Amino acid sequence: MAELPESLGTEAEALLAAYRVHRGPPLGMEARMLASMHAQLGLVPGTGGGASAGAKTATSGTATTGTATTVGAGVVSGKLIALASTLALTVASGAGVLASRSPSEASAPGAVPIAEIEAPASLLEQPSEPPDVKDLVLEPELADEESPIEAESGAAGRGRQARLRRKPGRPRSSGGLAEEAKLLRSADSALRRGALGEAQDLLERHRSGFKAGELGQQARALELLLACAQGQPGASQAAVDHLEAQPSARARARIERECGID
Amino acid sequence: MRGVSGDPEFDAVYRANVAIVWRYLRRAGVPESMVEDATQEVFLTYHRRRDDFRGASSVRTWLLGIARGVASNVRRGRQRFLRRLASRRALPDPPPPESPEQGAARAQACALVEAFLITLSEPQREVFELIEIEGLKQREVAELLELSINTVGSRLRAARAAFAAYVGSLTKAEVAHG
């Protein structure tokens, strides 16, 4: 078996670091849960970190567990990279500190508590300029009105790979993209656990709520997967057409497998 | 219970693993409204059963195994389980607000990662998330998912290659569009 490289690369690690923070407990939640558990367990905080340490953890943000890896400030450049890295970097003495995933075991009592790690929340106090996230959008893939099955013959002409590009004239909010991603993630989750009705509802919500959505390709892939899972007539053929129209579709392997395409 | 005057060992394990457990539960399908309670359930179960822990795996792997069971219970909607969780509502102090720019930028980056994760097969995604996002070792994932380490390695390799290509395409497109 070939050895895996140690690192995915700075940009990828920075994106994942931002993801860890965003998907972690909200600010203040760690301390709140710890205090609640102390109360349920009849523990009095204070002698060993208790709730007060939990509060410290919370003020350091929704920290990822991990060690701090110092990287040169000049290593990271570009908007995408700046976007992710600004989220995960703290500037200390002219160098960025990337909150990276921890390769260390967290099992032993006395392991470094995350309260001691430079955490992204400290960015709130950083004077560094935030990235221009408005310049980063994902291009929608398909027209909105057709269902994935009905659209099979037309997909070839319209299918376009989702990609980043500037759309200076187009008002957008990153909250909208986040909402859209959340909705699709929920649909994906429902699909993966076999809750097809729920997945269908969520995808219909996506179709009606994000007609100019920026994750159209992902939505389209999920619709095809749903149609195949439901055994809809023509679903496999629609999947074939979709993949022919989009040879670089990122969900190709999954669609091929779940739609039974050889 | 190890006494009423604090439990530094429990607190240390909690602080070192709470974010991992939280994210794991979310990805495992626990609704946002229930993840706080479910997270507590994981650690309370750990507290209750830690004397049984033999050290055959890491505490982190053990916690994720507990989280897997909790997520499964939540998904199945076991009424008794849900009632028990509901009876344990945490203290009602609201979390402090975060900077809008910070939240927006993080949401944007998160959306990019999620857009990628959707494209992975379930087996690849699970391995990728546990190793690349949560920092587990391959042998821990093999143990948690009851897979051979070679299987974990091959899934990870495929997912990493896909992620590298994805990030590369984003960066390339960004450069191309100025």
Side-chain angles (χ1 to χ4, degrees):
Chain A
M1 185 168 62
E3 287 292 315
L4 290 168
E6 282 295 312
S7 170
L8 284 166
T10 307
E11 301 94 333
E13 292 286 1
L15 269 181
L16 292 178
Y19 176 88
R20 282 181 210 112
V21 173
H22 192 70
R23 280 293 171 217
L27 281 173
M29 183 60 77
E30 292 180 17
R32 172 174 151 167
M33 290 191 295
L34 188 60
S36 171
M37 289 189 292
H38 279 168
Q40 292 174 60
L41 295 169
L43 297 173
V44 178
T47 54
S52 59
K56 184 183 175 191
T57 303
T59 56
S60 66
T62 52
T64 62
T65 56
T67 54
T69 304
T70 303
V71 296
V75 171
V76 180
S77 62
K79 277 196 184 62
L80 169 67
I81 303 162
L83 164 67
S85 60
T86 299
L87 298 164
L89 295 173
T90 58
V91 177
S93 304
V97 179
L98 174 63
S100 69
R101 70 186 174 88
S102 169
S104 63
E105 298 286 343
S107 58
V112 179
I114 56 178
E116 295 175 9
I117 298 170
E118 286 290 344
S122 59
L123 287 172
L124 296 173
E125 299 168 4
Q126 293 297 328
S128 58
E129 190 177 343
D132 185 6
V133 298
K134 293 182 178 59
D135 286 343
L136 290 171
V137 296
L138 286 163
E139 185 177 18
E141 179 201 7
L142 292 172
D144 319 304
E145 292 75 12
E146 294 172 309
S147 77
I149 305 306
E150 290 162 345
E152 50 188 303
S153 62
R158 296 188 299 274
R160 291 168 299 184
Q161 187 177 356
R163 62 184 187 271
L164 287 171
R165 70 170 202 175
R166 284 177 185 275
K167 288 188 176 178
R170 178 181 177 179
R172 64 179 299 277
S173 84
S174 54
L177 177 57
E179 278 302 306
E180 185 181 6
K182 187 177 169 184
L183 188 57
L184 290 182
R185 185 66 190 271
S186 298
D188 182 45
S189 177
L191 190 57
R192 287 177 193 264
R193 64 174 189 273
L196 302 186
E198 182 185 341
Q200 184 164 7
D201 289 345
L202 289 165
L203 288 171
E204 283 172 1
R205 274 176 52 195
H206 175 269
R207 202 182 305 172
S208 60
F210 294 92
K211 289 191 173 179
E214 293 163 355
L215 299 176
Q217 187 184 40
Q218 285 79 6
R220 169 73 170 151
L222 290 174
E223 286 172 343
L224 285 168
L225 290 166
L226 174 65
C228 291
Q230 290 173 327
Q232 288 189 26
S236 291
Q237 186 57 49
V240 169
D241 292 344
H242 176 74
L243 294 177
E244 282 178 3
Q246 296 196 56
S248 60
R250 292 191 184 96
R252 166 176 287 276
R254 187 177 168 195
I255 292 173
E256 284 177 343
R257 186 183 59 256
E258 297 185 23
C259 289
I261 300 171
D262 295 328
Chain B
M1 188 185 304
R2 305 206 168 179
V4 293
S5 57
D7 192 334
E9 181 187 331
F10 174 76
D11 291 357
V13 168
Y14 169 80
R15 288 197 302 272
N17 294 287
V18 60
I20 291 175
V21 168
W22 178 283
R23 286 190 295 266
Y24 183 87
L25 290 168
R26 288 292 288 126
R27 289 198 305 271
V30 174
E32 198 166 354
S33 61
M34 295 186 65
V35 69
E36 177 183 349
D37 291 328
T39 301
Q40 290 188 50
E41 178 69 15
V42 170
F43 284 97
L44 290 171
T45 302
Y46 161 76
H47 186 276
R48 196 165 59 242
R49 292 173 41 195
R50 64 181 164 175
D51 287 340
D52 299 334
F53 178 58
R54 304 286 180 205
S57 59
S58 71
V59 168
R60 183 168 50 181
T61 309
W62 200 45
L63 283 168
L64 291 180
I66 296 171
R68 217 176 178 192
V70 169
S72 175
N73 286 338
V74 170
R75 282 199 307 268
R76 289 174 192 159
R78 292 181 177 168
Q79 289 308 307
R80 190 171 58 181
F81 182 77
L82 296 177
R83 279 198 299 274
R84 184 151 56 95
L85 287 184
S87 70
R88 286 187 183 154
R89 301 305 307 180
L91 305 178
D93 53 323
E98 69 173 351
S99 129
E101 291 85 3
Q102 181 84 4
R106 271 214 309 258
Q108 176 85 4
C110 188
L112 292 173
V113 174
E114 293 200 329
F116 165 73
L117 292 175
I118 284 173
T119 67
L120 291 180
S121 68
E122 177 72 22
Q124 285 181 6
R125 188 183 70 152
E126 194 163 26
V127 167
F128 182 83
E129 287 174 340
L130 288 170
I131 292 176
E132 297 300 343
I133 295 176
E134 305 305 354
L136 268 69
K137 296 178 186 306
Q138 290 188 50
R139 62 172 172 73
E140 292 179 308
V141 175
E143 182 185 333
L144 182 68
L145 302 181
E146 299 175 352
L147 298 170
S148 76
I149 197 157
N150 284 341
T151 302
V152 170
S154 64
R155 289 178 186 177
L156 177 62
R157 196 163 25 256
R160 287 184 73 160
F163 189 57
Y166 176 70
V167 173
S169 71
L170 295 179
T171 309
K172 205 168 150 186
E174 186 181 339
V175 170
H177 292 90

